[in-house]
Amino acid sequence: MNGRTALLATAELLGWWAALAVLWLVFISTVDTLELVVGAGAACLGALAARAARRAVTGR
């Protein structure tokens, strides 16, 4: 993995994470510290799964 590929992978993960974190915040009723931590963790796992699924489909 060269520098450009690592940068693109990081950008993709951050994009997925941001979208999923915003979606989590839209669906919760109260915003407190615990909900933010849980949401950030769930968004991180979702971002990793989304990237893995895209890579599995495209074969790269």
Side-chain angles (χ1 to χ4, degrees), residues 2-5 9 13-15 17 19 21-24 26 31 37 42 46 48 50 55 57 60:
N2 59 22
R4 183 173 188 271
T5 314
L13 283 172
L14 283 176
W17 181 85
V22 167
L23 190 62
W24 180 277
V26 167
V31 180
V37 171
L48 289 171
R55 290 190 65 197
V57 169
R60 291 197 262 169

Side-chain angles (χ1 to χ4, degrees), residues 17-59:
W17 181 85
L20 292 171
V22 167
L23 190 62
W24 180 277
L25 288 173
V26 167
F27 286 133
I28 63 172
S29 59
T30 59
V31 180
D32 60 357
T33 305
L34 181 60
E35 284 289 339
L36 290 175
V37 171
V38 171
C44 183
L45 291 175
L48 289 171
R51 184 166 192 279
R54 188 198 55 80
R55 290 190 65 197
V57 169
T58 60

